[in-house]
Amino acid sequence: MIDDRTDVTRTGSPAPTAAQPTGWWRDAVIYQVYPRSFADADGDGMGDLPGVRARLPYLRDLGVDAVWLSPFYASPQADAGYDVADYRAIDPMFGTLDDAAAVIRDAHALGLRVIVDLVPNHCSDQHVWFRQALREGPGSPLRDRFHFRPGKGADGELPPNDWESIFGGPAWTRTTDPDGTPGDWYLHLFAPEQPDFNWDHPAVHDEFRTILRFWLDLGTDGFRIDVAHGLVKAAGLPDMGHGEQLKLLGNQKLPFFDQDGVHEIYRDWRKVLDEYPGERIGVAEAWTPSADRTALYLRSDELHQAFNFHYLNTGWDAARIRAAVDESLEAMRPVGAPTTWVLSNHDVVRHTTRYAGGDPERGLRRARAALLLMLALPGSAYLYQGEELGLPEVTDLPDEVRQDPSFFKTNGQNGLRDGCRVPIPWSGSEPPYGFGPEPGGPSWLPQPESWAKLSVEAQTGDPASMLELYRSALAARRDHPALGAGDAVEWLEAPEGVLAFRRVPAGEPGTSGESGGNGGTAFVCTVNTTAEPVRLPVPGQVLLAGSDVTLEGGEAVLPADSAVWWTV
């Protein structure tokens, strides 16, 4: 066990113990690092853990509270590391276990917490359990740790049921027995290289408890749980009964997603998390049909947070945004969990492009406004690397460089996740823009020439840049307790297409955001989602604006697609 970290808060004081809870995660701003695209220390074109370690001061200065690292485990990389061969080893492309320990130790010294990705629904087909199950053939006890089934048809030539892979095609692959004859089929809800674990088997439960403790002993502050809604399958693996291609988020009830049995698993994991000091947390990637279903993962004896995909998938429309905010807060309040807010991640089109409607400048304006809106809402916010630079989706990657496994399937997801995973620009005028150590060096996906003006170096010090807006907004949120605190907003009267809400300092964690418990400054956030300027009564003094605001005789003129924070 490596336990030489210096776990400190942002002020440098000792971290809270289990006897001194702070609920740090309730309003934390957490930054997602996609390691292969963040920073490349050795110049091979692939980001790595030493690169992450070198850039940690940047994240500290940006003003985030924690870092979430996407998978860096030993993996054949069939799905960018979400096909794990060894959960206790680092893939050599990213570094070593010592490098991982150093990232955690340095992050803590800078006052940053570290959350690592955990992939419990499936592993790699190169995992020792699965390889042995194939090698030993039918009757191997290791096969019970996965979902092996005989096929249908006269010779077992048809899949066991009609389930489909999220990446396209059937969710079953037929094996070949050791004697060379066709054998049973195994389940994989994603790529064929990602066999699903059978969570009805006690050995799977035991294994993941030890994995949790391994990384908690190393000093991690929590886990983001991949496909948290998918671990338990309906008894008997019944047919879906329809041929519509599956999506991660939908309203249909599926026999392999959001089954009630998952909650027993997370209650067990919560006991492990609570064994450790410092408020270690679990964050669910749970794609569920409703916010109410998501809230079930966040009961007091289960996980701490879940991603708010319902908010992420809401378009740039004031009425829909308000409804998503209200539904999210209302669903979380009965279980005492904070709502999370997220605009982008490694699986979706970057929001600057989603919001653009074909006009990149409009996309940037809306992204600036969306940031201020998100950071003024009660709860925790997640940022995806590069969004603070205003990076757009790269939509013109050549087919030959793409690596998203669903790109190579028919009828699957859009197969274009590589566009949000292009390595981010740090400095310089030519690729890889400081991503690697040498100008003109490689990067695993090509970067657009236009990104020179979007680099950290180019934007630093420019008060009109996206990066400086993020820095200012995160600093203001840290300085003012009403922003992010509580569990409610007070909506104010506003013209159609405009959102206006009031925030006041909250009382104890879990109480209403309108309690005024700290007696501090109150705030109003106004957001104009329309294509035209709007006039509003001035509610107070401007604290921060995403676009220039004109004050005229007691009224404020908000430009199209803009947001303002006011102190009142």
Side-chain angles (χ1 to χ4, degrees), residues 492-563:
L492 305 176
E493 185 176 349
E496 183 176 357
V498 176
L499 295 169
F501 58 90
R502 182 173 178 266
R503 303 299 322 286
V504 300
E508 296 302 316
T511 60
S512 170
E514 308 319 312
S515 64
N518 291 337
T521 303
F523 296 86
V524 167
C525 177
T526 53
V527 186
N528 177 14
T529 69
T530 74
E532 301 294 334
V534 295
R535 303 181 74 92
L536 299 170
V538 174
Q541 293 186 326
V542 174
L543 174 64
L544 187 63
S547 303
D548 290 337
V549 178
T550 302
L551 304 181
E552 297 177 351
E555 288 190 320
V557 181
L558 273 62
D561 300 315
S562 66

Side-chain angles (χ1 to χ4, degrees), residues 288-317:
T288 68
S290 68
D292 289 335
R293 290 294 301 180
T294 300
L296 297 179
Y297 292 75
L298 307 177
R299 288 172 285 194
S300 60
D301 60 347
E302 293 191 42
L303 301 174
H304 298 75
Q305 290 185 343
F307 292 121
N308 190 344
F309 295 117
H310 306 283
Y311 183 78
L312 183 151
N313 282 283
T314 301
W316 190 245
D317 176 89

Side-chain angles (χ1 to χ4, degrees), residues 394-404 407-408 415-416 418-419 422 444-448:
V394 180
T395 58
D396 58 353
L397 289 169
D399 289 356
E400 60 269 19
V401 306
R402 294 188 180 276
Q403 297 190 24
D404 182 352
F407 178 74
F408 303 98
L416 303 178
D418 293 316
V422 174
W444 73 280
L445 287 174
Q447 301 154 301

Side-chain angles (χ1 to χ4, degrees), residues 65-119:
D65 301 293
V67 179
W68 153 33
L69 296 167
S70 292
F72 45 68
Y73 307 109
S75 166
Q77 303 295 320
D79 183 23
Y82 283 94
D83 50 318
V84 181
D86 187 342
Y87 290 85
R88 299 175 183 82
I90 307 301
D91 196 283
M93 71 190 300
F94 295 125
T96 67
L97 191 59
D98 285 341
D99 290 325
V103 168
I104 295 168
R105 183 175 60 247
D106 286 8
H108 288 154
L110 293 169
L112 297 168
R113 299 182 189 256
V114 178
I115 296 168
V116 299
D117 232 307
L118 188 65
V119 188

